[in-house]
Amino acid sequence: MKLTPRGCKNIGGDVALSVEELRRDFMEAFVPYGYRPFWPSGLQLLESITDKISPNLHNRFLVTNSFFGEPCAVRTDVTLGVVDYCASHFEPHERPLRLCYTERIYRRPKSPDKNVEKLQMGAELIGWEGEGADVELISLLLSFLNGLNCPKIALTLGDVSLIQRAIKSLPSPHGKVLLDCLERGSLDEYAEAAKNLPPSPLSTFFEELPWLKGNAEVLYRASELLDEMEEAIRPLKLIYSELAKLGHENSIVVDLSLVRELDYYSGPIFDVYFEETGVSVGGGGRYDRLLEACGMLGQAVGFALDLERLALSVNKKRGKAQKILLWAQKNAPSYVLKCAEELILLGYSVEILWREKDPDIRELARIKGYDLLLDLNRGNIIELSSGDETFLDDFLGGENDD
């Protein structure tokens, strides 16, 4: 029997445990700073989201109808739900609003990916908080990620508003060509197009733009090249400087050519990836225009991470609790559960087997990946790897002595 359609999957076992641990750690990292858990609706009205989301996603909606016949998309973007919730539940004077979430999103996959659903984890800050909001969110994100036992994380930092201002100084056809090359990552085409630009005070800036990547020196070089537009780089310089003071300098790469969904993002943006492999983990940035499209004035910044990809890359940072299979046999449930509780308080993970007979209980314990087998009738604990046996009273007494 198969119940799960192509492109979807159930997550269980060690991956599910890792996902849940990441979720708990994420909430523990953000909730103390005022972020509140958020659970978005599973359906989003098509007529409301189509003009608020990137046109690149329009052909990736999974379309259905609500119970009442309203055309909907299965949740394609959590941020839309965040903005809708904030607009309908809070007045402007109640900001700033901080929300965090772990949820699935659903989109038609882009080849070669075949997954319709993805697990996301993210946070959003809505208000009028200036660059302080960007620093806060990025710092919390990097502190959380760098606290995981996973491959080294790097964050690429850019600012789409800087590129947009510079592009406006060019005749329209030239600006569109440059943006298209940057979005496609076609540096050879970009270099050729930059050579053919009409003379302007920003000609050298455009020629060097794809290679303006690195540390603080990149920002100072950009200040020189921008000439009279130098103030456009100041917000990014402030954000980088403050993040460096917080100890994140070695995790950040400035990339002034970073562009993404220019009709959605409106200021500083960032991508997060594993430094060694370049595999993307997520990204985010400032999306003030989405607020405006939803009838809200203000500033918003947020990010989303690929939760499953992180879970598959993280090694348990805590010592893994030894697992005990507790064979209850004919003992009273109250006694069995009290015994399990005592073991759990000592730091063990316990699963109870209530059946009275099993011809090969040790093999079952090994198949299920247990470290220890507790036979309550015999009152002993068996270490499955060595076969050593210890009386339960001695085992508990020794643990309590420690």
Side-chain angles (χ1 to χ4, degrees):
M1 179 180 68
K2 182 179 179 181
L3 300 178
T4 308
R6 292 171 60 190
C8 301
K9 61 182 174 182
N10 299 309
I11 299 175
D14 288 342
V15 176
L17 287 172
S18 184
V19 165
E20 175 57 20
E21 183 171 301
L22 276 173
R23 186 199 67 79
R24 288 198 307 266
D25 289 351
F26 181 73
M27 292 296 169
E28 288 173 5
F30 280 79
V31 168
Y33 285 86
Y35 292 81
R36 294 294 176 257
F38 175 68
W39 299 98
S41 168
L43 297 180
Q44 298 171 323
L45 290 171
L46 270 180
E47 63 180 8
S48 298
I49 68 172
T50 302
D51 62 342
K52 298 177 180 65
I53 204 164
S54 170
N56 295 331
L57 290 177
H58 289 178
N59 64 349
R60 299 181 63 190
F61 292 159
L62 295 181
V63 179
T64 184
N65 287 326
S66 73
F67 176 79
F68 302 98
E70 302 158 299
C72 295
V74 185
R75 185 192 315 112
T76 191
D77 185 281
V78 177
T79 302
L80 289 172
V82 168
V83 174
D84 178 53
Y85 172 74
C86 291
S88 59
H89 287 75
F90 299 96
E91 297 295 330
H93 67 269
E94 295 180 87
R95 302 181 202 167
L97 304 171
R98 292 172 167 87
L99 301 173
C100 54
Y101 63 86
T102 53
E103 256 300 355
R104 274 186 167 96
I105 61 165
Y106 302 85
R107 296 174 182 175
R108 295 182 185 275
K110 292 174 65 176
S111 182
D113 187 13
K114 296 181 179 179
N115 293 319
V116 171
E117 55 186 18
K118 290 185 181 296
L119 279 172
Q120 277 193 349
M121 176 166 65
E124 316 285 342
L125 198 169
I126 295 176
W128 290 275
E129 310 307 302
E131 284 74 38
D134 304 287
V135 174
E136 174 189 319
L137 205 70
I138 295 173
S139 179
L140 289 176
L141 170 61
L142 286 174
S143 294
F144 165 69
L145 292 173
N146 289 329
L148 302 176
N149 189 10
C150 69
K152 189 175 187 303
I153 291 290
L155 183 144
T156 300
L157 180 65
D159 190 335
V160 297
S161 65
L162 169 63
I163 295 177
Q164 288 169 328
R165 278 193 63 179
I167 289 291
K168 284 182 180 178
S169 68
L170 298 174
S172 179
H174 293 281
K176 288 181 179 179
V177 170
L178 293 183
L179 280 176
D180 179 63
C181 292
L182 289 176
E183 289 180 328
R184 291 187 290 109
S186 179
L187 298 187
D188 290 340
E189 287 184 44
Y190 179 95
E192 188 63 31
K195 288 179 183 177
N196 297 322
L197 291 176
S200 83
L202 297 181
S203 295
T204 307
F205 170 77
F206 286 118
E207 288 177 10
E208 293 189 19
L209 180 59
W211 294 274
L212 289 175
K213 300 178 183 180
N215 54 22
E217 294 179 3
V218 169
L219 297 170
Y220 292 108
R221 174 59 178 162
S223 295
E224 296 173 358
L225 297 175
L226 287 168
D227 194 31
E228 295 181 0
M229 275 182 52
E230 186 272 337
E231 80 282 354
I233 195 94
R234 289 177 188 169
L236 201 59
K237 289 171 72 174
L238 173 63
I239 293 170
Y240 181 88
S241 173
E242 293 303 306
L243 288 171
K245 292 175 186 175
L246 291 166
H248 299 302
E249 186 174 9
N250 291 335
S251 298
I252 299 173
V253 177
V254 175
D255 182 356
L256 297 187
S257 67
L258 182 63
V259 294
R260 188 189 330 119
E261 299 177 45
L262 294 177
D263 50 347
Y264 185 95
Y265 289 102
S266 55
I269 59 172
F270 51 90
D271 286 337
V272 185
Y273 56 95
F274 294 129
E275 186 177 67
E276 185 175 339
T277 62
V279 172
S280 174
V281 177
R286 191 86 69 82
Y287 55 90
D288 304 354
R289 287 194 187 87
L290 178 59
L291 290 190
E292 186 178 348
C294 294
M296 296 174 66
L297 296 177
Q299 170 194 310
V301 59
F303 67 82
L305 302 175
D306 188 325
L307 178 52
E308 187 178 357
R309 180 169 291 168
L310 265 180
L312 291 170
S313 303
V314 170
N315 295 316
K316 294 286 185 178
K317 64 185 177 194
R318 305 184 181 100
K320 197 171 182 179
Q322 280 195 301
K323 298 190 292 184
I324 298 176
L325 181 61
L326 193 165
W327 192 14
Q329 298 184 36
K330 293 183 179 181
N331 288 279
S334 57
Y335 170 68
V336 174
L337 288 167
K338 285 179 180 178
C339 184
E341 182 181 9
E342 187 170 356
L343 290 166
I344 289 169
L345 289 173
L346 290 172
Y348 293 95
S349 171
V350 180
E351 182 176 352
I352 300 171
L353 187 68
W354 293 102
R355 72 183 75 164
E356 295 182 10
K357 294 181 180 181
D358 194 291
D360 196 346
I361 189 66
R362 292 197 188 194
E363 182 60 22
L364 176 63
R366 288 193 184 94
I367 291 171
K368 292 177 71 67
Y370 283 87
D371 305 295
L372 302 163
L373 170 63
L374 170 54
D375 185 335
L376 275 186
N377 271 6
R378 295 177 60 194
N380 70 349
I381 282 190
I382 304 164
E383 186 173 343
L384 293 167
S385 61
S386 66
D388 293 342
E389 298 188 20
T390 306
F391 287 116
L392 178 59
D393 290 342
D394 293 339
F395 183 83
L396 295 176
E399 291 291 330
N400 287 324
D401 290 342
D402 292 342

